[in-house]
Amino acid sequence: MKTVYTFGGGATHDDARARDKTVTGGKGANLAEMAGIGLPVPPGFTITAEECVRYLRDGGDFSPELREAVTEALVHVERTAGKTFGEASDPLLVSVRSGARVSMPGMMDTVLNLGLNDETVAGLAATSGDERFAWDSYRRFIQMYSDVVLGLDHGLFEEALEIVKEDNGYFNDTELTAENLQALVAQYKQIVADELGRDFPQDVHEQLWGAIRAVFDSWDSDRAKVYRRLNDIPADWGTAVNVQAMVFGNMGETSATGVAFTRDPATGEKAYYGEWLVNAQGEDVVAGIRTPQYLTRAARERAGASAPSMEEAMPEAYAELAAVFDLLEKHYKDMQDIEFTVERGKLWMLQTRTGKRTAKAALKMAVDMADEGLIDETTAILRVDPMALDQLLHPTLDPDAPRDVLGKGLPASPGAASGKIVLDADTAESWSGRGDKVVLVRVETSPEDIHGMHAAQGILTARGGMTSHAAVVARGMGRPCVSGASGVSIDIKARTLKIGAREFAEGDVITLDGATGEIMAGEVPTIQPELAGDFGTLMEWADKYRRMKVRTNAETPADCRMARRFGAEGIGLARTEHMFFDGARIGAVRQMILADDEAGRRKALERLLPEQRSDFVEIFTTMAGLPCTIRLLDPPLHEFLPHSDEEFEEVADAAGIGVDHLKRRAAELHEFNPMLGHRGCRLGITYPEIYEMQARAIFEAACEVTLRQAQGARGGDEESGSARPEPVEGLGAVVPEVMIPLVGTRKELALLKQVVDETARTVFEEKGVTLDYLVGTMIELPRAALMAGAIAEEAMFFSFGTNDLTQTTLGVSRDDSANFLAVYVDKGIYARDPFVSLDIEGVGQLVEIAAERGRATRPELKLGICGEHGGDPASIAFCEKVGLDYVSASPYRVPIARLAAAQAALRG
Ligand code: ADP
Ligand code: MG
Ligand code: MG
């Protein structure tokens, strides 16, 4: 396998590996591609990313093949450029650039002008006819190389430069003369010698190999590792190295350098967009040393700027550049992000890549390009990253509103939230119960805070990263979250909070921007998301190609309505326990849990029945005949227990028993490992009356809503007493899907199904109505997956509860994984956080087995997924592959799931 590919000049560009990003990296592959279609690219070569991986594996040794291939490739560059590397009279200079498969901050910065030394600098001066330019190039090179390759502090060089300027009374770098620069080079070399105890390398080959080594090593730098983890980039990709003949944008007034996009990356508008600078090199445009000029006349005029645009100042080079833009867009069929240099009037292309864009621009470009005929509808659908839509799916801060920014943390869950500061979950719940909007601020959150997180508009934590409990749970709930805001300190005793230098009390209002991590004082107005315009168009297109249905995980009417607005086709998971926490009900729930016997429990359950029923009435009404899967009580009972003495007294009063007795009972419920304890269907097995009450609430509600619809349809006629009411036109019949959680055996499901069926029969008799309904189960234990064939004898549907299935298959508790999971992802043990993206090869196997065995027993078995993974595009692609009928995601993820499901179907 070749280790080095040449491009430009006489290089043949027909080797597909040279244009394969996985081999030559993004930058290298596109340089080869551009050279191949005849664009002016300075000649060069690319060392493959495979070599980087090999080098790192072999402990930092270059292979003999690589040494030989580089030597050969250098000859190609020398021949094409007509200059020789290291030759004194007319030296070839090169840039050394890193280039991974995807562009990655954290990788080595580019070194320009490599090949300069005390001899070649004179040659450069002679051939360019510009002494100053030559010495300036040399001093820039020493500074860059020392910083990037030799690891010296670039401040040392800045300081020396400042002193020379001060001594001479200069203000700008441009005032430095050739003599000044020559003296500066001597000083720079001295700095290197002092710092390293050896001279700056004069041997150009040593310079080159040093730079190559630095690029390879940068793949394992801390910065790169952090970036990889945050962006799910596997550690085994490696980076390629590009070595390319230098062209100079700093050879006077007919030279220039610039960056450009073929369309506006912020809005998506079809207009060239870019910046350039006359007589400048490399990063000058983005470095902010000089103010760059606009590329086009239109942009300059719109901005009211006076410095001429490239279109005006260099019309010929600009015309050539514009032609290149069009060619590149047609070639890549996508918006390109381009770097170019003009050397004495001649245009050179230094980079092209598919341009990053905002979600808004991505939608506009996809729809526009399809309309222009540049791409087809399915390409447009495939073009938009479903996850990017997240940006558009939360209420966002009004961009025109003023912001009083207090500090910053990690943008853990997008969206904006304003509310009163509350410092614990119970306060969050009680304040929100009385109608306040609250923002929960914690050092970090734990599972015990869930009810508070649910009650809060947003969550702010002082500690924890992007995959902390707060971040994961908040994203799942669609709550905006800023995590790891180190400037936040909480005084829980005083009930106060410091953000940066400012102090706040519980009850003061703050605003969070979960998309940027900003924390602001007071309330900043927001705007609601909508699926209008290009977004709506793309969603319509996506729905045409989608096979799987998309449902939502929701139980409150507000969430249900939101999900429907976003296109949800039903509820995949309504968690009844969320309703248990609500304000007044928690008292009855506690009474039920702490009751000594069935009679005591039944008494409390009777209080809960009307509450639950009205919840379900609301859900069925809001969902208007769309399928609704309702899960019976799942969490361990102790989660609902009272905490404070006050709460214990309240419950004791209501139940008419002593506080001590209650506390003893509460202690009995304590569990060492609640995740594997008395929860899920085990509650239904031990206390069937709980599930019986819930089933009754569901069926009574279903009857009520159905009868109301039927009456509505007949214009309010009296009940006909018919056994099966006709559904109203336009509204489907209410068909409840009752879901039993945490089933591991057929027998469990059989027993509980009996409870549900009997309850249904009783309710239908009472109401004089018969309705269709389904009873099914979650598949969230490995045993359930393996025994799916038997379980399907009882179950009419399976819903994969992949949160618990992941926990139980991996033997990893989601809530306790923060301490090691990041390291696991870092070391590549897991490619991604398995709670965010399904572990397809492990957990996925169980899903596949269960789907297969379940359907073998019952071919019409309905299959869906309702874990956090139902909103994750990679996991959705897997669901398509195993033939699930639907995915269910949190309301704000519904559009993401619709698009991801369409993409999965298209990719086949
Ligand atoms: P990045 O990945 O940070 O964009 P690049 O490798 O593209 O880094 O290079 C940094 C800057 O140096 C860019 O402005 C690029 O155009 C310029 N540059 C790179 N190689 C050359 C070269 N051979 N001749 C002139 N300029 C170059
Ligand atoms: Mg850079
Ligand atoms: Mg670049």
Side-chain angles (χ1 to χ4, degrees), residues 140-158:
R140 282 177 191 246
F141 168 57
I142 298 177
Q143 181 166 351
M144 244 184 279
Y145 194 89
S146 300
D147 170 16
V148 171
V149 178
L150 303 178
L152 296 181
D153 178 5
H154 72 120
L156 295 168
F157 301 92
E158 297 288 347

Side-chain angles (χ1 to χ4, degrees), residues 27 97 110 259 283 339 350-351 353:
K27 205 175 281 169
R97 324 165 67 183
T110 298
V259 297
E283 308 268 45
E339 291 174 10
L350 291 171
Q351 188 171 331
R353 62 182 163 204

Side-chain angles (χ1 to χ4, degrees), residues 120-300:
T120 55
V121 68
L124 183 64
T127 52
S128 66
D130 190 340
E131 192 90 11
R132 188 190 177 283
F133 158 74
W135 285 102
D136 189 41
S137 301
Y138 192 17
R139 72 101 196 157
R140 282 177 191 246
F141 168 57
I142 298 177
Q143 181 166 351
M144 244 184 279
Y145 194 89
S146 300
D147 170 16
V148 171
V149 178
L150 303 178
L152 296 181
D153 178 5
H154 72 120
L156 295 168
F157 301 92
E158 297 288 347
E159 207 176 305
L161 176 70
E162 281 313 307
I163 292 173
V164 174
K165 279 164 69 179
E166 238 167 68
D167 287 351
N168 290 287
Y170 298 154
F171 184 70
N172 283 321
D173 289 8
T174 45
E175 293 171 78
L176 293 160
T177 64
E179 290 71 33
N180 294 148
L181 291 163
Q182 189 169 358
L184 201 55
V185 164
Q187 275 195 48
Y188 277 11
K189 287 198 302 191
Q190 194 56 50
I191 293 175
V192 175
D194 290 348
E195 290 292 315
L196 292 182
R198 58 188 155 85
D199 288 336
F200 186 82
Q202 289 290 313
D203 178 346
V204 295
H205 292 279
E206 188 190 336
Q207 291 175 358
L208 179 61
W209 285 103
I212 293 171
R213 184 181 292 282
V215 174
F216 281 171
D217 287 340
S218 72
W219 180 254
D220 269 347
S221 68
D222 291 342
R223 267 201 310 168
K225 281 185 184 165
V226 168
Y227 184 84
R228 281 207 290 275
R229 191 176 62 230
L230 289 179
N231 292 277
D232 302 316
I233 296 173
D236 65 2
W237 280 5
T239 178
V241 185
N242 301 288
V243 178
Q244 187 175 27
M246 284 299 302
V247 289
F248 298 98
N250 53 342
M251 274 194 177
E253 296 303 305
T254 54
S255 301
T257 189
V259 297
F261 294 87
T262 55
R263 298 185 192 216
D264 190 322
T267 63
E269 193 197 341
K270 189 170 163 44
Y272 307 136
Y273 175 93
E275 294 178 329
W276 74 303
L277 273 176
V278 180
N279 197 8
Q281 185 177 44
E283 308 268 45
D284 291 358
V285 174
V286 284
I289 305 166
R290 283 160 59 192
T291 309
Q293 294 154 236
Y294 290 95
L295 205 65
T296 64
R297 194 174 135 185
R300 178 186 68 74

Side-chain angles (χ1 to χ4, degrees), residues 441-460:
V441 185
R442 302 283 288 162
V443 174
E444 52 199 348
T445 62
S446 72
E448 282 164 24
D449 293 323
I450 303 263
H451 60 297
M453 298 172 76
H454 204 259
Q457 304 294 309
I459 296 124
L460 169 63

